[in-house]
Every structure is written in C-alpha cells, then in structure tokens.
Amino acid sequence: MSIDGGGTRGYLPALVLQELERRAKRPASDLFDLIVGTSTGGIIGIGLAAGRSATELAQFYPRYGRAIFGGSDTRPRWKQRLFGTTGDFARDWESSLRKIGSPFGGDPGGGGNARHSADGLDAALGEVLGEMTLAQVSTPLIATTFDAASGVPVLLTSRDAAKSADRDLPLRLVARATSAAPTFFPPLETTWAGATRRFIDGGVWANNPAHLGMLEAITSASADPRSVTLVSLGTGAAPTRPSFQLDLSWISAAMDTVALATTVHTGHTLCQRYLSPDRYHRLQVTDPGIAGAMDDPSAERLAALASAANRLIADHSDHLDRVLQQLIVS
C-alpha cells in the first residue's frame, strides 16, 4: 500500500482505509506485505505498521489538528485575522512572527521560514507512536524524506533499520522526518546512518511514493511486477492543467516547477506502466475544492474531506470489494 502526502488531506485516505478495515473485518495492516508513505501518508502508514487501527488513525487530524496547526473553530474569523487564531497572546504572537518571516526568512528566533512550530506535531506523534522504533514494526515500512544537509533523497525503511542500528530511529522521528514540509514546519535535525541530517518532507521528491513501493516489492522479494498487487491512496488533487506555457511570466514558470516537484502523477504513471492493470488500484479524488490548504484542520474542512471520502467509497464500492478479494487471497 502507498499513501500520498497532503497535510490535513490525509484524513481522506484514512477514512478509505477505515472502510477497507470494516469490510475486511481485520486490521488494515494485516492486508498488506509492505506500506510506503510520504508526509501525512507517511504518518498514517507508520501508525498502521506500528499496529494502530485505521479507525484510530482516521481521528489523527480531528483530534490533534488544532494542536498541530493552531486556530479555533469557535473564534470568529475576523478576530482570528486581526488578533490571531488561538486567543492565546503568546502563541498568536509567535504565529504572527512565523507568518511574517515565511516570505522573507532569515530570523530563526522569529520563526524563520516555518509557519508552524513543531511542538504540537511532536507531541501528537509521541502520544500516538510512543517509543517504538522503525526496526520494531510489525509490517514492513518505507517513509520518504529528504536530507537538506546533503541535498539527497532518503528512504527510511524497516528493512534497513533491522540490518543496521545506525539506520534505526523512533517512529515519532520517522514521522517528523517525512512530514517536515518546507515553510510549514522546521526540518528535523537528527543523526542517521552515521551523519548529522536535516530531514524535510519527502513530498519534495516523492509526493506519491507508489513506484517506490513497487520497486521495493520487486527487489526485496524478487517478485514479477505483474504479480504485485498495489493499492495507492491519494489525498485529493486538482485537475491537471498545461504547464510551462511560454506566454506566462517567470513567476508562473517557477510555480510550475514547484508543482512539478510535488506532483503525484509520476508514481502513478510508473505503476501504470509496469504493474498489471487489474492489480494496480489508484483511489483518488480529483476536485479543486478538496485539493486546497494542507494546514486547515477546521471542522468545515474536515467535513468536506469526509464527504469526499464517502463519495469515493460509494462510487467505487464494487472496486473496493475486488481489491479486498485480491488482498485476502494473496
């Protein structure tokens, strides 16, 4: 199984997994031989590999979203805009400094270029994942990240962690490493594989990591690609549009470059090419309204994501049953 990145939009695939779990009458982790995830998908995948149920993980953002991103569902929007989002002066002042610093950077004391402190996310991940390490998961796991210190992509895998202690990390740190989205959260600075690392969100190079799961399955188990069953869960995407049009400004071209770096289409295209069409299952919602903000845990936003998940489940109900039949038989 593969789960895309997308911040609070991870609520959508978590609800789809909850439905798979309900239909299968067994933990979602028991259905898969390998779980791979990026960013919010990494958090969900790590939780599953650690033995948490999909139902429990589906409540991650409803339960912890405000602690992670701040804000309030009860404070009027005009007050949030004028005075801050939480009603706590110290926290609102810190948030304002971070937002002011985001476009310009340069002042770590004022937030640098991270909009949110990592404190809320760290606390949530610690509560959910405890001190279990990558080598201890019950289901093989891959989480993507990127080492900004060396400028190279990194895979944090349970297979590597089991072989070498210096590649093992507490799952809460693995989750932080894969979800440290630039401009949203500060990097995770830690030691891994004998070097000091500065990990940022794996979405900068593998926002849809499905192809990485495919390659791991083929290489680690010497499997025929056509025999691999892969379920790839999206977090909502906008319809595709033309890129790099020559009549647009250089700013538009720069934005297209960022969009290309975080695209979810690369993994999908590679899996379509190399996996059997009846064994590759991409479950995604294409809706510009759903594909919006990644750091909005408001009740309104979560309700919209839940509605999208319910539509996806209803529209693909027979497909989900076929997916489960394949997973249970294999």
Side-chain angles (χ1 to χ4, degrees), residues 151-170:
V152 298
V154 172
L155 295 178
L156 302 174
T157 79
S158 57
R159 182 158 66 109
D160 290 342
K163 290 180 179 178
S164 178
D166 70 351
R167 292 175 182 264
D168 196 14
L169 286 172

Side-chain angles (χ1 to χ4, degrees), residues 187-305:
L188 171 70
E189 297 189 3
T190 190
T191 300
W192 179 82
T196 300
R197 309 289 178 167
R198 190 154 52 92
F199 287 138
I200 63 173
D201 197 302
V204 300
W205 69 279
N207 207 30
N208 171 1
H211 59 300
L212 301 175
M214 172 184 70
L215 290 171
E216 181 76 3
I218 293 168
T219 57
S220 64
S222 301
D224 179 349
R226 311 298 279 187
S227 71
V228 172
T229 299
L230 194 152
V231 178
S232 174
L233 301 180
T235 61
T240 57
R241 59 176 181 79
S243 301
F244 300 106
Q245 299 178 76
L246 298 181
D247 58 343
L248 298 179
S249 71
W250 65 267
I251 295 177
S252 297
M255 292 176 66
D256 283 345
T257 302
V258 172
L260 181 63
T262 58
T263 182
V264 296
H265 298 297
T266 301
H268 178 52
T269 299
L270 291 171
C271 288
Q272 277 185 310
R273 180 173 179 84
Y274 294 107
L275 297 179
S276 174
D278 64 338
R279 287 188 170 273
Y280 170 56
H281 308 282
R282 175 67 170 165
L283 297 170
Q284 174 69 299
V285 172
T286 302
D287 182 339
I290 294 301
M294 297 189 296
D295 60 346
D296 178 6
S298 66
E300 180 182 8
R301 176 68 164 153
L302 295 179
L305 291 166

